[in-house]
Structure formats: C-alpha cells, structure tokens
Amino acid sequence: MLFSELGDRIADRGRVRFPAYTPEGRRRPVTVAQRLTAYWGQQVFVEAEDLCRVRLCLAGRETLPEPSEARPR
C-alpha cells in the first residue's frame, strides 16, 4: 500500500514527504524508493529533512521547493 500511495504522490508532484520517527520508519521509505526506482526505471532519492521526516523525490526534483513549501521572508 505504501508503494502505491507514495508512488502516486511522487508521480503527481515529483516528491513526497513521509514521517520517519523510528529506525524502522526510516527504512520503509528507503525500501519504497528502491522499489520505485526499479519499477519506473528512474532514480528515486530519499533525503532526510529532519529527525522525524524524509522526502522521496525523482532525480532532478531534489532541491526545488513546492509552492506550499515556500516560506515568507
């Protein structure tokens, strides 16, 4: 289920955030990223955003913020 949910969001937006509070919670998105990479034939990266959240993103989309992520200065 996680494969299809995260895969759908990544396909729509190019990236998705996922909560990762425990070591197992951090391993799960890594496994999903590896499976999506194999399934799509396109690299899916996993990046730690902070201690409790990771971001999965397609190659080339790893540093571009989403409009909802933009913060006023």
Side-chain angles (χ1 to χ4, degrees):
M1 180 185 273
L2 191 58
F3 177 83
S4 62
E5 285 183 28
L6 294 180
D8 288 346
R9 289 186 185 173
I10 294 169
D12 289 343
R13 300 180 189 167
R15 72 184 59 84
V16 67
R17 289 178 165 157
F18 187 76
Y21 303 107
T22 65
E24 177 59 30
R26 288 184 283 280
R27 281 190 290 269
R28 290 176 66 205
V30 170
T31 302
V32 170
Q34 292 168 344
R35 290 180 56 208
L36 287 169
T37 294
Y39 184 73
W40 287 337
Q42 183 175 3
Q43 184 69 44
V44 177
F45 294 103
V46 180
E47 302 172 334
E49 288 196 327
D50 55 37
L51 293 175
C52 298
R53 186 172 45 197
V54 296
R55 181 170 57 171
L56 286 78
C57 53
L58 292 173
R61 300 289 303 261
E62 54 270 0
T63 58
L64 299 173
E66 293 181 10
S68 62
E69 293 176 345
R71 296 182 181 153
R73 293 184 178 188

